[in-house]
Amino acid sequence: MNAFKLTLLVAVLAAGSAFAQPQPDDTLYRQLGGQSGLVKLTDDFMQRLLADPRMNPFFKDTDQKEFKAQLAAQFCEVSGGPCQRKGKDMKTVHDGQDITKSNFNALVEVLQQSMAAQGIPFTAQNRLLAKLAPMHREIINKH
């Protein structure tokens, strides 16, 4: 192959790689058990939210099927999975619910219990919580 063809080939390959989409990191998604693991997690989480006297008032009248579907999609999306949550933003969803920092922390505690019960490694639990934590600004609406 002459130098011109080699240079042209290198240029074409370089241009093609410049437009390639980076592959998402789905490591956390896989550590959470993929879609089936997220379904199990959200099922367990919903049961625990309803059983917890601190959380029950917020969730007793919730459409459980829709809540679990939205939550599983949200967990999937933030963990690098192939999902995208659709629906209202977090601020709109939680508006008027008088959610305090204490309420938010109680929910996180229940989520940690659910993750532990599902055998999710502690490091994966921490990674998911770190991705969800910034949402507190949109959820807490009573100080």
Side-chain angles (χ1 to χ4, degrees):
M1 182 177 284
N2 68 31
F4 174 75
K5 287 182 181 177
L6 182 59
T7 303
L8 183 59
L9 179 62
V10 170
V12 169
L13 291 175
S17 67
F19 295 105
Q21 294 291 332
Q23 293 298 315
D25 180 4
D26 68 348
T27 305
L28 178 57
Y29 174 72
R30 287 184 283 115
Q31 288 176 328
L32 296 171
Q35 194 60 39
S36 64
L38 292 174
V39 168
K40 289 178 189 175
L41 175 60
T42 56
D43 285 344
D44 183 83
F45 187 40
M46 186 79 225
Q47 289 175 6
R48 290 174 190 272
L49 289 171
L50 293 171
D52 189 301
R54 302 167 300 174
M55 294 288 93
N56 179 277
F58 294 102
F59 294 97
K60 66 182 177 185
D61 297 324
T62 300
D63 177 342
Q64 293 180 26
K65 184 177 178 181
E66 178 65 15
F67 173 78
K68 290 189 291 187
Q70 289 291 327
L71 190 61
Q74 185 174 46
F75 287 169
C76 177
E77 182 177 8
V78 302
S79 68
C83 311
Q84 185 173 9
R85 183 185 164 278
K86 295 176 174 56
K88 298 176 182 175
D89 62 84
M90 292 290 101
K91 187 167 184 63
T92 302
V93 169
H94 297 93
D95 190 42
Q97 293 187 24
D98 294 336
I99 299 170
T100 65
K101 185 176 181 178
S102 177
N103 299 138
F104 184 83
N105 291 341
L107 181 127
V108 171
E109 181 183 316
V110 174
L111 177 56
Q112 287 174 304
Q113 293 167 359
S114 290
M115 289 190 290
Q118 297 304 307
I120 294 171
F122 189 69
T123 55
Q125 292 181 36
N126 284 340
R127 286 182 62 208
L128 179 61
L129 292 173
K131 290 183 177 288
L132 296 172
M135 292 179 194
H136 80 277
R137 294 178 200 98
E138 301 168 6
I139 296 171
I140 297 171
N141 52 34
K142 184 176 179 183
H143 300 278

